Amino acid sequence: MFFVDRSAVVLKPTQVFLDWLNSTDDDMPDLTLAQLRSNCSVFLLPAFDEPEQAVAYFDERYEEIFVAELASWVGDASQYPKDLSLENFWQFFELEVHDMVLDLVDEELEVSNVVPTTVPTEAK
């Protein structure tokens, strides 16, 4: 077991996110908020002393995170919310910050880029 010099942030969708998701497709399965929040994205951030620092870090990168989260559910950028502001991001998500990250695997981490990382022009 190894201590990882990072903070972990769990990005949890809110009811606002679920309402938007349900509005994108009539064939969307009936998901509850509990189901949606049972398997959330986890982000590794620099190690911070205070949870507020992790929130501020997210504030700086919210746009790429917002788009990546929307794209993971809906491929058509024209269905994204028109308002992709920081304020709306915090309506769609809340954070759970963890400052102790441990790695149980004694191997190098494999990394790959997540796309998209920019806001589609249709959603601006």
Side-chain angles (χ1 to χ4, degrees):
M1 184 179 327
F2 302 93
F3 175 74
V4 179
D5 188 23
R6 297 282 188 269
S7 295
V9 172
V10 180
L11 187 65
K12 294 189 170 195
T14 65
Q15 184 65 47
V16 173
F17 181 93
L18 180 57
D19 293 344
W20 164 77
L21 184 60
N22 286 332
S23 74
T24 63
D25 186 351
D26 291 337
D27 295 327
M28 183 67 64
D30 275 342
L31 293 171
T32 66
L33 187 56
Q35 289 170 319
L36 193 61
R37 293 170 67 112
S38 69
N39 187 16
C40 301
S41 297
V42 178
F43 295 84
L44 295 178
L45 281 59
F48 292 117
D49 295 328
E50 302 293 330
E52 295 81 10
Q53 293 172 299
V55 173
Y57 188 84
F58 250 72
D59 283 351
E60 294 171 10
R61 304 192 61 184
Y62 83 91
E63 193 172 56
E64 68 182 297
I65 297 165
F66 203 168
V67 171
E69 289 296 309
L70 298 174
S72 71
W73 286 93
V74 175
D76 182 0
S78 69
Q79 292 187 303
Y80 294 177
K82 299 300 179 215
D83 179 6
L84 293 176
S85 66
L86 177 60
E87 182 177 334
N88 207 35
F89 175 81
W90 290 120
Q91 295 297 313
F92 273 60
F93 303 101
E94 58 187 43
L95 295 183
E96 183 178 284
V97 180
H98 301 273
D99 62 359
M100 184 179 290
V101 179
L102 302 170
D103 190 347
L104 295 174
V105 180
D106 188 17
E107 294 176 16
E108 294 269 334
L109 289 174
E110 291 185 31
V111 297
S112 60
N113 288 329
V114 176
V115 290
T117 58
T118 59
V119 177
T121 54
E122 304 88 43
K124 285 189 177 181

